[in-house]
Amino acid sequence: MRATPPLLLPLLRSNTVGELLAWLYLHPESEYSTTDLAVRTGASQSTVSREADRFAAAGLTRERRHGNLRLIRADTDTIVAKPLTDLLAVTFGPLAVLPPLLHSISGIDEAYLYGSWAARHANHAGPPPRDVDVLIVGSADDDELYDAARTAERVLGREVNINRISPASWNVDLNDPFVMSLRSKPLYPLIQKRSTS
């Protein structure tokens, strides 16, 4: 039985391919080890290595060795670089663009993508997402979140809506219709709660 192609960009074989290419093409100034890409995407290192071989064979990436590390970066000189970057920005872009922006803001306990983007990533049928909805759990400053959303919009080419709720509301107030609705639908974690142990 064949795997269902991702609904964010059905021409790709899998969400993992989209996520890997998004990290590479939306951060073209950076190079990543296969281990780093595995951590960022949640894929196994063997999967990342296999996909990296395919990207290199297709002329999409450049590589160099540094000791035992295989360092990979987007090949931005190829004719497909600009259109591919644009496609990745509006599909898998939130996964590569939002985490670095949010990690620089204090007071974020957890962060999730929700709404139509999370539903398409979970392969729920529907039209392409028109915007990106982000839930922040914590006490982060609203002005900093607003600035992060506007920065992300410039890269992603679509509206980014950030909603913040308190940890108490997220973890305790299960009678809140907004919380219940969010918890009943797909969520994609951008920043996960850190263990206190």
Side-chain angles (χ1 to χ4, degrees):
M1 187 169 168
R2 300 183 94 180
T4 303
L7 292 177
L8 282 168
L9 187 56
L11 18 121
L12 295 179
R13 189 172 57 258
S14 69
N15 282 335
T16 300
V17 170
E19 292 171 27
L20 289 167
L21 287 170
W23 272 105
L24 293 166
Y25 273 84
L26 298 176
H27 302 285
E29 71 290 346
S30 300
E31 54 185 8
Y32 299 96
S33 69
T34 54
T35 302
D36 191 24
L37 287 170
V39 169
R40 290 174 187 274
T41 62
S44 69
Q45 191 160 350
S46 62
T47 297
V48 172
S49 291
R50 192 169 47 252
E51 296 302 341
D53 290 342
R54 290 184 174 121
F55 300 159
L60 297 176
T61 57
R62 294 180 179 181
E63 297 185 8
R64 72 178 180 93
R65 291 279 180 177
H66 182 72
N68 290 332
L69 286 178
R70 177 186 185 185
L71 299 172
I72 305 159
R73 70 184 315 146
D75 185 349
T76 55
D77 292 332
T78 178
I79 194 167
V80 300
K82 174 70 168 87
L84 180 57
T85 300
D86 291 344
L87 270 175
L88 291 166
V90 298
T91 54
F92 291 92
L95 300 182
V97 171
L98 287 164
L101 292 171
L102 297 176
H103 276 295
S104 67
I105 299 173
S106 62
I108 296 178
D109 297 340
E110 301 172 66
Y112 301 92
L113 289 166
Y114 69 97
S116 59
W117 191 96
R120 294 305 88 71
H121 188 274
N123 289 337
H124 293 196
R130 298 177 68 98
D131 59 7
V132 177
D133 296 310
V134 182
L135 175 70
I136 300 295
V137 179
S139 60
D141 180 76
D142 286 333
D143 289 336
E144 289 186 74
L145 294 175
Y146 177 87
D147 291 343
R150 301 300 75 80
T151 299
E153 284 177 350
R154 287 191 290 275
V155 177
L156 301 177
R158 66 179 65 190
E159 184 177 351
V160 175
N161 306 302
I162 296 183
N163 288 298
R164 181 177 56 83
I165 64 172
S166 70
S169 294
W170 182 241
N171 296 311
V172 178
D173 194 358
L174 298 182
N175 293 320
D176 182 323
F178 178 64
V179 171
M180 292 303 293
S181 175
L182 287 176
R183 288 186 176 276
S184 70
K185 295 174 182 169
L187 292 170
Y188 187 95
L190 294 171
I191 297 175
Q192 293 186 297
K193 190 172 186 176
R194 294 169 185 85
S195 172
T196 56
S197 59

